[in-house]
Amino acid sequence: MTGLVTIVGLGPGEPRYLTPAASEALASATDLVGYGPYVDRVPERPGQHRHASDNRVELDRARFALDLAMNGAHVAVVSGGDPGVFAMAAAVFEAVENGDPAWRSLDIHVEPGITAMLAAAARVGAPLGGDFCAMSLSDNLKPWEVVEARLRAALAADFVVALYNPISSARPWQLGAAFKIVAETRGPDTPIILARAVMRPDERIGILPLSQVEAAMADMSTMVIIGASTTKLIERPDGKAPYVYTPRFYGVRP
Ligand code: SAH
């Protein structure tokens, strides 16, 4: 009897933002595999085995899930946000590509989730209304030179840029370096969105001009969105936070 592997996106936080399809995949799994805090977000079910692990062992976790499935388990591998965005789905396919050829006969499904970038954007308006790109600022799995070259290229093309993994205790200087690079090409009033723990109880959203932003305002639960030259603020009365949006047209509305 062969099992199957479903890589499930849990969304940004609140269970309301988990898709019904993801919920079904979690309910029908015999085994849950994932980073501890994500496994903790899934309600316990009698008879379902929970395998929580450390965050730094993605490939081992993927191999473990594939082995369980080879033995007949219906495994749900859980990830925050969307599992295909800087997360477990790529690790599972990497394990399949380089691992036991028998793993290729397994059925592997990906259940999408709302990724942090979209959750953050929705909180402030429509900053991703024009062309945008997303990148991970982490240089754990790629050299900093590549991160920097991609950031410069995205800025040169005037994309809105969404930065995942902006900072951590092991990567303390990279976000500051990135803001310096941004300041070389974008004006001091460019809106920067710092969206922390979106759709979780400790959510905090800041909208600041580039000239006032500091790397220390972000942490590893923060999504950073850098406005393009066309990204605008709509100020509102009575101390309400402005709306941020990027028009779909560029230059003059056709
Ligand atoms: N697969 C995840 C991203 C994993 S990378 C997704 O699709 O959302 C981890 C990074 O995602 C964090 O460093 C942070 O930048 C961002 N992130 C994840 N959840 C978040 C949330 N609820 N609020 C803000 N940023 C979040």
Side-chain angles (χ1 to χ4, degrees):
M1 186 183 84
T2 43
L4 58 92
V5 175
T6 308
I7 311 152
V8 181
L10 298 179
E14 268 183 59
R16 286 192 302 150
Y17 290 98
L18 181 78
T19 70
S23 257
E24 281 168 25
L26 296 173
S28 63
T30 57
D31 292 77
L32 287 187
V33 172
Y35 174 43
Y38 298 140
V39 171
D40 289 345
R41 270 164 57 182
V42 181
E44 299 212 14
R45 285 187 183 79
Q48 191 175 60
H49 305 286
R50 299 162 77 88
H51 312 272
S53 58
D54 187 78
N55 201 18
R56 297 208 158 242
V57 290
E58 279 191 351
L59 263 182
D60 291 343
R61 193 191 295 144
R63 293 186 196 109
F64 176 71
L66 291 159
D67 272 334
L68 281 177
M70 289 304 288
N71 289 313
H74 286 205
V75 186
V77 179
V78 294
S79 247
D82 183 274
V85 178
F86 309 124
M88 277 307 294
V92 171
F93 290 114
E94 186 185 339
V96 171
E97 185 190 8
N98 301 306
D100 183 347
W103 286 344
R104 296 184 181 218
S105 64
L106 282 172
D107 284 331
I108 301 172
H109 298 287
V110 180
E111 280 299 346
I114 297 177
T115 189
M117 170 180 73
L118 301 184
R123 282 296 195 244
V124 298
L128 308 178
D131 292 341
F132 62 88
C133 73
M135 53 184 287
S136 168
L137 207 65
S138 171
D139 55 354
N140 286 342
L141 297 170
K142 59 188 182 231
W144 174 253
E145 292 67 40
V146 171
V147 177
E148 185 172 331
R150 289 182 176 174
L151 177 61
R152 286 186 187 280
L155 292 165
D158 205 11
F159 283 111
V160 172
V161 184
L163 297 178
Y164 286 80
N165 295 311
I167 196 164
S168 74
S169 49
R171 295 181 293 103
W173 56 265
Q174 287 81 343
L175 182 60
F179 284 146
K180 279 214 183 80
I181 294 168
V182 176
E184 292 171 16
T185 46
R186 302 246 161 124
D189 294 331
T190 301
I192 308 290
I193 298 152
L194 300 171
R196 184 181 179 282
V198 182
M199 294 172 187
R200 298 187 202 148
D202 47 345
E203 173 177 306
R204 207 174 61 224
I205 313 275
I207 303 164
L208 289 152
L210 174 59
S211 59
Q212 285 176 29
V213 96
E214 284 169 33
M217 295 168 176
D219 66 10
M220 61 185 292
S221 303
T222 306
M223 186 77 224
V224 178
I225 300 179
I226 301 161
S229 70
T230 50
T231 302
K232 297 184 210 180
L233 288 191
I234 303 175
E235 297 297 345
R236 300 170 67 215
D238 308 325
K240 291 181 197 235
Y243 296 124
V244 188
Y245 88 108
T246 308
R248 296 189 57 200
F249 63 89
Y250 199 82
V252 181
R253 190 179 233 297

